Amino acid sequence: QISNKEELYAFAQLVNNGETNANAVLTANITVNTDVLNSDGTLNNNGSGFETWTPIGNAQNPYTGKFDGQGHTISGLYFKDVYASHVGLFSYSSGTIRNVGVIDSYFKGSDYIGGVCGYNHAEGDFSQATIENCYNTGTISGSGDEVGGVCGCNYADSERTSTIKNCYNTGM
């Protein structure tokens, strides 16, 4: 159970260190930073003073568990590295992400940038990767390919399924 930003960061570290099948549920709305975006969607104060977010999962340790936001939001995520790829609340997921909103957040990188997930990809023994009932109202920016509001890239092949359903983006 995740109820605050410290627990959210600890969960990201757990997954990124190899516990990729850890399941989680949000039990409250979580704020990492406040007032990340100006009313027009631009970055407030050029990002000065914001705690940087480390996305959940990575290419070496893709997230394979089930993450249920239970209708809660995560706000104030901040990530800015123009050379980075696979950026979002989740970096690289082969699991299930559902029922969470990402608000007042800013992600800037190169490729595979999305508010909820940078790269949603079913692979290996995990035949289905799913993002459902999620949304993003934050600002997403990338200098390369595969940049999107909810998810930068949703990839599947003939043997596996990667699905995004009942999701929306109103961010920039």
Side-chain angles (χ1 to χ4, degrees), residues 141-165:
S141 176
S143 58
D145 297 326
E146 313 293 342
V147 178
V150 172
C151 182
C153 179
N154 186 52
Y155 179 81
D157 59 30
S158 61
E159 298 175 9
R160 295 167 189 87
T161 304
S162 294
T163 305
I164 299 174
K165 60 183 177 181

Side-chain angles (χ1 to χ4, degrees), residues 3-70:
S3 64
N4 58 50
K5 79 175 185 177
E6 293 78 16
E7 292 171 348
L8 183 63
Y9 274 86
F11 179 73
Q13 184 176 14
L14 178 77
V15 172
N16 295 343
N17 287 335
E19 294 293 325
T20 60
N21 64 348
N23 296 325
V25 294
L26 293 184
T27 59
N29 293 332
I30 296 174
T31 301
V32 174
N33 296 292
T34 57
D35 298 324
V36 170
L37 300 176
N38 294 312
S39 60
D40 64 357
T42 59
L43 181 60
N44 189 7
N45 202 26
N46 200 29
S48 178
F50 292 136
E51 185 174 357
T52 298
W53 172 243
T54 300
I56 300 166
N58 53 54
Q60 296 77 29
N61 295 302
Y63 184 65
T64 59
K66 293 180 182 173
F67 183 94
D68 190 346
Q70 297 191 115

